[in-house]
Amino acid sequence: MSKKTILYIANGNSIHDVKWMTYFSEQTEKYSCYLLCDTLCELSAQTKTTLEKSAIQLVQQIDPISITRPLKTWRSIRQYKKLVKVLKPDLVHVLFATPNALWLNFS
């Protein structure tokens, strides 16, 4: 079985999200796990350390989707598409439906 790549779109500050991601990330022979948060999610140093210890790789944050700022949204979509192209995830897993599920439209 080849190693699977999982891209999580989640809130890194949520203990529930981190526990879910950790289940897979600690199986390093089976999974490579990446976390994408938007810029509204400020991660503490402690959270970043926890993610690192759990083998969850934090990717560059992106601006959230905004109806009132279409240019910023367009840049974020481009950044997201580029990330997906580079990582080539086998699975994109959204751990909070709104607004994170909107990103799946651009995969």
Side-chain angles (χ1 to χ4, degrees):
M1 181 176 156
S2 64
K3 194 171 186 175
K4 301 291 182 187
T5 301
I6 303 173
L7 173 61
Y8 290 99
I9 302 175
N11 180 348
N13 291 315
S14 167
I15 188 66
H16 305 290
D17 291 358
V18 172
K19 281 183 180 182
W20 182 266
M21 292 182 286
T22 300
Y23 173 81
F24 294 95
S25 68
E26 289 182 344
Q27 300 177 54
T28 54
E29 68 284 345
K30 293 182 181 179
Y31 305 103
S32 294
C33 296
Y34 297 86
L35 172 60
L36 173 64
C37 301
D38 65 37
T39 54
L40 297 176
C41 178
E42 293 184 32
L43 299 175
S44 67
Q46 180 182 1
T47 299
K48 289 179 182 179
T49 301
T50 301
L51 294 171
E52 188 177 314
K53 286 181 182 178
S54 299
I56 300 168
Q57 299 176 53
L58 185 61
V59 298
Q60 183 179 355
Q61 292 177 286
I62 58 176
D63 290 316
I65 292 177
S66 170
I67 294 172
T68 59
R69 295 187 165 165
L71 188 57
K72 206 174 220 185
T73 296
W74 180 76
R75 282 193 299 251
S76 294
I77 291 168
R78 288 187 60 215
Q79 185 179 352
Y80 172 75
K81 284 183 169 187
K82 184 177 178 182
L83 176 67
V84 169
K85 190 175 184 179
V86 169
L87 292 180
K88 296 180 180 156
D90 296 295
L91 175 68
V92 178
H93 190 163
V94 175
L95 292 175
F96 189 75
T98 308
N100 293 339
L102 295 173
W103 290 111
L104 296 176
N105 292 315
F106 308 107
S107 292

Coordinates of all heavy atoms in Angstrom, one line a residue, residues 36-95:
L36 N -4.2 23.0 6.6 CA -4.5 24.3 6.0 C -5.5 25.1 6.8 O -6.6 24.6 7.0 CB -5.0 24.2 4.5 CG -5.4 25.5 3.9 CD1 -4.2 26.5 3.7 CD2 -6.0 25.2 2.5
C37 N -5.1 26.2 7.4 CA -6.0 27.1 8.1 C -6.1 28.4 7.4 O -5.2 28.8 6.7 CB -5.4 27.4 9.5 SG -5.1 26.0 10.5
D38 N -7.2 29.1 7.6 CA -7.2 30.5 7.1 C -6.5 31.5 8.0 O -6.2 31.1 9.2 CB -8.6 30.9 6.7 CG -9.6 31.0 7.9 OD1 -9.1 31.5 9.0 OD2 -10.8 30.7 7.7
T39 N -6.3 32.7 7.6 CA -5.6 33.7 8.4 C -6.3 34.1 9.6 O -5.7 34.8 10.5 CB -5.2 34.9 7.5 OG1 -6.4 35.4 6.9 CG2 -4.2 34.5 6.4
L40 N -7.6 33.8 9.7 CA -8.4 34.2 10.9 C -8.0 33.3 12.1 O -8.3 33.6 13.2 CB -9.9 34.2 10.7 CG -10.4 35.1 9.6 CD1 -11.9 34.9 9.4 CD2 -10.1 36.6 10.0
C41 N -7.4 32.2 11.8 CA -7.0 31.2 12.8 C -5.6 31.4 13.2 O -4.7 31.0 12.6 CB -7.2 29.8 12.2 SG -6.7 28.4 13.3
E42 N -5.4 32.1 14.3 CA -4.1 32.4 14.8 C -3.6 31.2 15.7 O -4.2 31.0 16.7 CB -4.1 33.7 15.6 CG -4.3 34.9 14.8 CD -4.2 36.2 15.5 OE1 -3.4 36.3 16.5 OE2 -4.9 37.1 15.2
L43 N -2.6 30.6 15.3 CA -2.1 29.4 16.0 C -1.1 29.8 17.0 O -0.1 30.5 16.7 CB -1.5 28.4 15.0 CG -2.5 27.8 14.0 CD1 -1.7 26.9 13.0 CD2 -3.6 27.1 14.7
S44 N -1.2 29.4 18.2 CA -0.2 29.7 19.3 C 1.0 28.8 19.1 O 1.0 27.8 18.3 CB -0.8 29.3 20.7 OG -1.0 28.0 20.8
A45 N 2.1 29.2 19.7 CA 3.3 28.5 19.7 C 3.1 27.1 20.2 O 3.7 26.1 19.6 CB 4.4 29.2 20.4
Q46 N 2.3 26.9 21.2 CA 2.0 25.6 21.8 C 1.3 24.7 20.8 O 1.7 23.5 20.6 CB 1.2 25.7 23.1 CG 0.9 24.4 23.7 CD 0.0 24.5 24.9 OE1 -0.4 25.6 25.3 NE2 -0.3 23.4 25.6
T47 N 0.4 25.3 20.1 CA -0.4 24.5 19.1 C 0.6 24.1 17.9 O 0.5 23.0 17.5 CB -1.5 25.4 18.5 OG1 -2.4 25.7 19.5 CG2 -2.3 24.6 17.4
K48 N 1.4 25.0 17.5 CA 2.4 24.7 16.4 C 3.3 23.5 16.9 O 3.6 22.6 16.1 CB 3.2 25.9 16.0 CG 2.3 26.9 15.3 CD 3.1 28.1 14.9 CE 2.3 29.2 14.2 NZ 3.1 30.4 13.9
T49 N 3.7 23.6 18.1 CA 4.6 22.5 18.7 C 3.8 21.2 18.7 O 4.4 20.1 18.3 CB 5.1 22.9 20.1 OG1 5.8 24.1 20.0 CG2 6.0 21.8 20.7
T50 N 2.6 21.2 19.1 CA 1.7 20.0 19.2 C 1.6 19.4 17.8 O 1.7 18.2 17.6 CB 0.3 20.3 19.8 OG1 0.5 20.8 21.1 CG2 -0.5 19.1 19.8
L51 N 1.3 20.3 16.8 CA 1.1 19.8 15.4 C 2.4 19.2 14.9 O 2.4 18.1 14.3 CB 0.7 20.9 14.5 CG -0.7 21.5 14.8 CD1 -0.9 22.8 13.9 CD2 -1.8 20.5 14.5
E52 N 3.5 19.8 15.2 CA 4.8 19.3 14.8 C 5.2 17.9 15.4 O 5.6 17.0 14.7 CB 5.9 20.3 15.1 CG 7.3 20.0 14.5 CD 8.3 21.0 14.9 OE1 8.0 22.2 14.7 OE2 9.4 20.6 15.3
K53 N 4.9 17.8 16.7 CA 5.1 16.5 17.4 C 4.2 15.4 16.9 O 4.6 14.3 16.9 CB 4.9 16.7 18.9 CG 6.0 17.4 19.6 CD 5.7 17.5 21.1 CE 6.8 18.3 21.8 NZ 6.5 18.5 23.2
S54 N 3.1 15.8 16.3 CA 2.1 14.9 15.8 C 2.3 14.6 14.3 O 1.5 13.9 13.7 CB 0.7 15.4 16.0 OG 0.4 15.5 17.4
A55 N 3.4 15.1 13.8 CA 3.7 14.9 12.3 C 2.7 15.5 11.4 O 2.4 15.0 10.3 CB 4.0 13.4 12.0
I56 N 2.0 16.6 11.9 CA 1.1 17.3 11.0 C 1.8 18.5 10.5 O 2.2 19.4 11.3 CB -0.2 17.7 11.8 CG1 -0.9 16.5 12.4 CG2 -1.1 18.5 10.9 CD1 -2.0 16.8 13.4
Q57 N 2.0 18.6 9.2 CA 2.7 19.7 8.6 C 1.8 20.9 8.3 O 0.8 20.7 7.6 CB 3.4 19.2 7.3 CG 4.4 18.1 7.6 CD 5.0 17.6 6.3 OE1 5.5 18.4 5.5 NE2 4.9 16.3 6.1
L58 N 2.1 22.0 8.8 CA 1.3 23.2 8.7 C 1.7 23.9 7.4 O 2.9 24.2 7.2 CB 1.5 24.1 9.9 CG 0.6 25.4 9.9 CD1 -0.8 25.1 9.9 CD2 1.0 26.2 11.1
V59 N 0.8 24.1 6.5 CA 1.1 24.8 5.2 C 0.8 26.3 5.4 O 0.1 26.7 6.4 CB 0.4 24.2 4.0 CG1 0.8 22.8 3.8 CG2 -1.1 24.3 4.2
Q60 N 1.2 27.1 4.5 CA 1.0 28.6 4.6 C -0.5 28.9 4.6 O -1.3 28.3 3.8 CB 1.6 29.3 3.4 CG 1.5 30.8 3.4 CD 2.1 31.5 2.2 OE1 2.7 30.8 1.4 NE2 2.0 32.8 2.2
Q61 N -0.9 29.7 5.5 CA -2.3 30.0 5.7 C -2.8 30.9 4.5 O -2.0 31.6 3.9 CB -2.5 30.8 7.0 CG -2.3 29.9 8.2 CD -2.4 30.7 9.5 OE1 -1.5 31.5 9.9 NE2 -3.5 30.5 10.2
I62 N -4.1 30.8 4.3 CA -4.7 31.6 3.2 C -5.8 32.5 3.8 O -6.4 32.2 4.8 CB -5.2 30.7 2.1 CG1 -6.3 29.7 2.6 CG2 -4.1 30.0 1.4 CD1 -6.9 28.9 1.5
D63 N -6.1 33.5 3.1 CA -7.2 34.4 3.5 C -8.6 33.6 3.3 O -8.7 32.9 2.4 CB -7.2 35.7 2.7 CG -6.1 36.6 3.0 OD1 -5.8 36.7 4.2 OD2 -5.4 37.1 2.1
P64 N -9.5 33.9 4.2 CA -10.8 33.2 4.0 C -11.6 33.7 2.8 O -11.3 34.8 2.3 CB -11.6 33.6 5.3 CG -10.9 34.9 5.8 CD -9.5 34.8 5.3
I65 N -12.5 32.9 2.3 CA -13.4 33.3 1.2 C -14.3 34.5 1.7 O -14.8 34.4 2.8 CB -14.3 32.2 0.8 CG1 -13.4 31.1 0.1 CG2 -15.4 32.7 -0.2 CD1 -14.1 29.9 -0.4
S66 N -14.3 35.5 0.9 CA -15.1 36.7 1.3 C -15.9 37.3 0.1 O -15.3 37.5 -1.0 CB -14.2 37.8 1.8 OG -14.8 39.0 2.0
I67 N -17.2 37.5 0.3 CA -18.0 38.1 -0.7 C -17.7 39.6 -0.9 O -17.7 40.1 -2.0 CB -19.5 37.9 -0.4 CG1 -19.8 36.4 -0.4 CG2 -20.4 38.7 -1.3 CD1 -21.2 36.1 0.1
T68 N -17.3 40.2 0.2 CA -17.0 41.7 0.1 C -15.6 42.0 -0.4 O -15.3 43.1 -0.7 CB -17.2 42.3 1.5 OG1 -16.3 41.7 2.4 CG2 -18.6 42.2 1.9
R69 N -14.7 41.0 -0.5 CA -13.4 41.2 -1.0 C -13.0 40.2 -2.1 O -12.3 39.3 -1.9 CB -12.4 41.1 0.2 CG -12.6 42.2 1.2 CD -11.5 42.2 2.2 NE -11.5 43.5 2.9 CZ -10.9 43.6 4.0 NH1 -10.2 42.7 4.6 NH2 -10.9 44.8 4.6
P70 N -13.6 40.4 -3.2 CA -13.4 39.4 -4.3 C -12.0 39.2 -4.8 O -11.6 38.1 -5.1 CB -14.4 39.9 -5.4 CG -14.6 41.3 -5.1 CD -14.5 41.5 -3.6
L71 N -11.2 40.3 -4.8 CA -9.8 40.2 -5.2 C -9.0 39.3 -4.3 O -8.2 38.5 -4.7 CB -9.2 41.6 -5.4 CG -7.8 41.6 -6.0 CD1 -7.9 41.0 -7.4 CD2 -7.3 43.0 -6.1
K72 N -9.2 39.5 -3.0 CA -8.5 38.7 -2.0 C -9.0 37.3 -2.1 O -8.1 36.4 -1.9 CB -8.9 39.3 -0.6 CG -7.8 39.0 0.4 CD -8.2 39.8 1.7 CE -6.9 40.3 2.3 NZ -7.2 41.0 3.6
T73 N -10.2 37.1 -2.3 CA -10.7 35.7 -2.5 C -10.1 35.0 -3.7 O -9.7 33.9 -3.6 CB -12.3 35.7 -2.6 OG1 -12.8 36.2 -1.3 CG2 -12.8 34.3 -2.8
W74 N -10.0 35.8 -4.8 CA -9.4 35.2 -6.0 C -8.0 34.8 -5.8 O -7.6 33.7 -6.2 CB -9.6 36.3 -7.1 CG -9.0 35.8 -8.4 CD1 -9.5 34.9 -9.3 CD2 -7.7 36.2 -9.0 NE1 -8.7 34.8 -10.4 CE2 -7.6 35.6 -10.2 CE3 -6.7 37.1 -8.5 CZ2 -6.4 35.7 -11.0 CZ3 -5.6 37.2 -9.3 CH2 -5.5 36.6 -10.5
R75 N -7.2 35.6 -5.0 CA -5.8 35.3 -4.7 C -5.8 34.1 -3.9 O -4.9 33.2 -4.0 CB -5.1 36.5 -4.0 CG -4.7 37.6 -5.0 CD -3.8 38.5 -4.3 NE -4.4 39.2 -3.2 CZ -4.8 40.4 -3.1 NH1 -4.6 41.2 -4.1 NH2 -5.3 40.9 -2.0
S76 N -6.7 34.0 -2.9 CA -6.7 32.8 -2.0 C -7.0 31.5 -2.8 O -6.5 30.4 -2.6 CB -7.7 33.0 -0.9 OG -7.3 34.0 -0.1
I77 N -8.0 31.6 -3.8 CA -8.3 30.5 -4.6 C -7.1 30.0 -5.4 O -6.8 28.8 -5.5 CB -9.5 30.8 -5.5 CG1 -10.8 30.9 -4.7 CG2 -9.7 29.7 -6.6 CD1 -11.9 31.5 -5.4
R78 N -6.4 31.0 -6.0 CA -5.2 30.6 -6.7 C -4.1 30.0 -5.8 O -3.5 29.0 -6.2 CB -4.6 31.9 -7.4 CG -5.4 32.4 -8.5 CD -4.8 33.5 -9.3 NE -3.5 33.1 -9.9 CZ -2.5 33.9 -10.0 NH1 -2.6 35.1 -9.6 NH2 -1.4 33.5 -10.5
Q79 N -4.0 30.5 -4.6 CA -3.0 29.9 -3.7 C -3.4 28.5 -3.3 O -2.6 27.6 -3.2 CB -2.9 30.8 -2.4 CG -1.9 30.3 -1.5 CD -1.8 31.3 -0.2 OE1 -2.5 32.3 -0.2 NE2 -1.1 30.9 0.8
Y80 N -4.7 28.3 -3.1 CA -5.2 27.0 -2.7 C -5.0 26.0 -3.9 O -4.6 24.8 -3.7 CB -6.7 27.0 -2.4 CG -7.4 25.7 -2.2 CD1 -7.1 25.0 -1.0 CD2 -8.2 25.2 -3.2 CE1 -7.7 23.7 -0.9 CE2 -8.8 23.9 -3.0 CZ -8.5 23.2 -1.9 OH -9.1 22.0 -1.7
K81 N -5.3 26.4 -5.1 CA -5.2 25.5 -6.3 C -3.7 25.1 -6.5 O -3.4 24.0 -6.8 CB -5.7 26.2 -7.5 CG -7.2 26.2 -7.6 CD -7.6 26.8 -8.9 CE -9.1 26.6 -9.2 NZ -9.5 27.0 -10.5
K82 N -2.8 26.1 -6.2 CA -1.4 25.8 -6.3 C -1.0 24.8 -5.3 O -0.2 23.9 -5.6 CB -0.6 27.1 -6.2 CG 0.9 27.0 -6.4 CD 1.6 28.3 -6.3 CE 3.1 28.1 -6.5 NZ 3.8 29.4 -6.3
L83 N -1.4 25.0 -4.1 CA -1.1 24.0 -3.0 C -1.6 22.6 -3.3 O -0.8 21.6 -3.2 CB -1.8 24.5 -1.7 CG -1.6 23.6 -0.5 CD1 -0.2 23.5 0.0 CD2 -2.5 24.1 0.7
V84 N -2.8 22.5 -3.8 CA -3.3 21.2 -4.2 C -2.5 20.6 -5.3 O -2.2 19.4 -5.3 CB -4.8 21.3 -4.6 CG1 -5.3 20.0 -5.3 CG2 -5.7 21.6 -3.4
K85 N -2.1 21.4 -6.3 CA -1.3 20.9 -7.4 C 0.1 20.4 -6.9 O 0.6 19.4 -7.4 CB -1.1 22.0 -8.4 CG -0.4 21.6 -9.7 CD -0.4 22.8 -10.7 CE 0.1 22.3 -12.0 NZ 0.1 23.4 -13.0
V86 N 0.7 21.1 -5.9 CA 2.0 20.7 -5.4 C 1.9 19.4 -4.5 O 2.6 18.5 -4.6 CB 2.6 21.9 -4.6 CG1 3.8 21.4 -3.8 CG2 3.0 23.0 -5.5
L87 N 0.9 19.5 -3.6 CA 0.8 18.3 -2.6 C 0.2 17.1 -3.2 O 0.5 16.0 -2.8 CB -0.1 18.7 -1.4 CG 0.5 19.8 -0.5 CD1 -0.5 20.1 0.6 CD2 1.8 19.4 0.1
K88 N -0.7 17.3 -4.2 CA -1.4 16.2 -4.9 C -2.0 15.3 -3.8 O -1.7 14.1 -3.7 CB -0.5 15.4 -5.8 CG 0.0 16.2 -6.9 CD 0.9 15.4 -7.8 CE 1.4 16.3 -8.9 NZ 2.6 15.9 -9.6
P89 N -2.9 15.8 -3.0 CA -3.5 15.0 -1.9 C -4.4 13.9 -2.4 O -5.1 14.1 -3.4 CB -4.2 16.0 -1.1 CG -4.6 17.1 -2.0 CD -3.4 17.2 -3.0
D90 N -4.4 12.8 -1.8 CA -5.3 11.7 -2.1 C -6.7 12.0 -1.5 O -7.7 11.5 -2.0 CB -4.8 10.4 -1.5 CG -3.5 10.0 -2.2 OD1 -3.5 9.7 -3.4 OD2 -2.4 10.0 -1.5
L91 N -6.7 12.8 -0.5 CA -7.9 13.2 0.2 C -7.8 14.6 0.8 O -6.8 15.0 1.3 CB -8.1 12.2 1.4 CG -9.3 12.5 2.3 CD1 -10.6 12.3 1.5 CD2 -9.3 11.6 3.5
V92 N -8.8 15.4 0.5 CA -9.0 16.7 1.1 C -10.1 16.6 2.1 O -11.2 16.3 1.7 CB -9.3 17.8 0.1 CG1 -9.4 19.2 0.8 CG2 -8.2 17.9 -1.0
H93 N -9.8 16.7 3.4 CA -10.8 16.5 4.5 C -11.1 17.8 5.2 O -10.2 18.4 5.8 CB -10.2 15.5 5.4 CG -11.2 15.0 6.4 ND1 -11.1 13.9 7.2 CD2 -12.4 15.5 6.8 CE1 -12.1 13.7 7.9 NE2 -13.0 14.7 7.7
V94 N -12.3 18.3 5.1 CA -12.8 19.5 5.7 C -13.4 19.1 7.1 O -14.3 18.3 7.1 CB -13.8 20.2 4.9 CG1 -14.3 21.4 5.6 CG2 -13.2 20.7 3.5
L95 N -12.8 19.7 8.1 CA -13.3 19.3 9.5 C -14.3 20.3 10.0 O -14.8 20.1 11.1 CB -12.1 19.2 10.4 CG -11.2 18.0 10.1 CD1 -10.0 18.0 11.0 CD2 -12.0 16.7 10.2

